[in-house]
Amino acid sequence: MTPSATADLPPASSLQEILESSKSSIEGSPHPVYLHNLASTIIHDLQFQHDWTALSVHIHSTLTNDPLPRPIISGLPPKRAYIHPDEQIEIIKEEHKTGEKIIHKPEREWVLPSHIQEKWSLAKFAAVFDGLDVVPSGTGDNHDEEENPIGQQWRGKNRQKRLLLATLHDDSTVVYYIVHDGIVKPRQN
Amino acid sequence: MAQSFESVSEPIPISLVSGRYLLFDVNVVTYLRRTHHICGTLIGSIPQNPQQNIFHGLPMELMPEEAKLLVQKEVAYIVDDLAWHKQRYESMKGEDKQKYLQSLRSAGLKARKATQEQAKKNSEMALSRLATQKAKGKKESPAEGTPEPPDDKLPDTSFHDTSGAQEEDSIFGGEGSSPSRQGTAFASNKPYPVTPTTSYASPSLPQNPSPPPDPCVPLSYSLFAHLHSRGYYIMPGLRFGCNYNVYPGDPLRFHSHFLATSFEWDQEIPMLDLIGGGRLGTAVKKGFLIGGEDTEAETDGEWGDNVRTFCIEWGGM
């Protein structure tokens, strides 16, 4: 029962693994370490709490090649994170007509990590959106344009720029809010 | 309505009374709402019920933002009512004064005529109702088949209907026999005393003695102008703790879409404000809209063009 062996440590937690694996990307990154760790914590929550897949961290903007204001996550949710109200109406109409259920395939989403004690501003949000593509590039994309043209004008490249604002609290609660770039009418949940 | 619209001609005078922008003409109020998406707030209460806080009437108060927008679009101009009234009061003499008094008198006569007509209509309606009741009563009384005379004052319930009809009949007869009495009550040709709501007759547009400066508006004006230029109707946002409630159409027909709060471009926004607003907005099926003027962007001259907006909704996870 002696606490002797440091050799037989318990296996690393999944969060520890994520933090370890992100170390390589931190080196040479233009962002401070705490922003990387913030992103890692959010990734952990997305992966294990919300079953997101194909998660990756973006350091540079694909539009300008400049560094993004902070590391930004992209990933594939298990189900569609956002359906535009007009698209939903279109889909319901079509379902009513054909009697067949239309499956909402998930789309890759941006996730902006933040902490509850931060202060944001319009300028900062604008800077983030200006560095982002409409749809994140990455693995796990499924191009279903051909098979489901219903509501296509609200999906993929046609959608309005949006991201999920993930806010972390010290008690490890993470809340997610959808932020649209511009005026988008609300969903009638 | 179309006819009364013709009487509205731009630019419209907006009365500035002790710092408030007021409109006193119902045609102007309707016109602004239909044509320029300006809703304003009705603030007039009935004099007998000064604590009234619902179903208000004229005058309509405009938000400073609304007043400024109308002035900028050259739809309206501001009249300092106090200065205008003083100037007008001092300069009104002789013929002008007589004309003004005459206009008051004719308004009083009009009011008297309207009351008279209404009273006449009321009494006619009452008479015809009585007549039908009487006819009904007469039909019913033989059906009951009671041989007793109707002047019997026994507390017999079966007779209440007929005796009641008879009493009413006598009232009816009395009124009918002395129409002259009724006539004299209305015959006085004295105009009703009228208290004008404005110090000038509505067709004579007041010339602005000294144009007051543009309405002093809060910083959220640019967001207001931005949303207004995109066809939204905007109401004050107190009920949802924001700057503006933003409606996609007339607020009488639509629910609002957004709770809009304005920020300066570099103003720090606490995370809790964003989350609280987003959560509240989603709970009431609206979006929480933040926006403000991008001070770094170059302007194209159009107001509200360099405004950037973001909509926040709950992510559902």
Side-chain angles (χ1 to χ4, degrees), chain B residues 22 39-44 56-57 59-63 66 235-236:
Chain B
L22 302 171
C39 300
T41 321
L42 292 166
I43 57 166
H56 285 290
M60 190 171 84
E61 182 177 359
L62 297 174
M63 288 191 274
E66 291 174 317
M235 299 270 271

Side-chain angles (χ1 to χ4, degrees), chain B residues 7 38 49 68 94 107 136-137 140 150 170 177 217 254 263 295 297 302:
Chain B
S7 69
I38 293 293
N49 186 11
K68 177 160 179 170
K136 242 193 189 163
E140 275 167 16
S170 71
S177 64
V217 290
F254 290 87
F263 291 96
T295 44
E302 188 85 15

Side-chain angles (χ1 to χ4, degrees), chain A residues 39-110:
Chain A
S40 298
T41 318
I42 302 293
I43 284 184
H44 180 255
D45 186 75
L46 285 170
Q47 189 176 348
F48 294 102
Q49 185 89 41
H50 298 293
D51 297 327
W52 281 45
T53 48
L55 289 155
S56 57
V57 177
H58 302 251
I59 309 287
H60 290 89
S61 165
T62 48
L63 297 177
T64 60
N65 284 325
D66 292 332
L68 287 164
R70 60 172 60 192
I72 291 171
I73 303 162
S74 77
L76 194 65
K79 59 182 174 62
R80 279 280 290 282
Y82 177 85
I83 300 169
H84 191 280
D86 288 340
E87 181 189 356
Q88 187 147 34
I89 290 170
E90 197 105 320
I91 284 171
I92 289 170
K93 270 188 195 158
E94 185 67 19
E95 282 179 345
H96 195 76
K97 208 160 65 184
T98 60
E100 281 170 40
K101 190 120 181 71
I102 292 172
I103 302 149
H104 306 296
K105 285 201 174 154
E107 285 189 303
R108 265 188 98 77
E109 300 289 345
W110 291 111

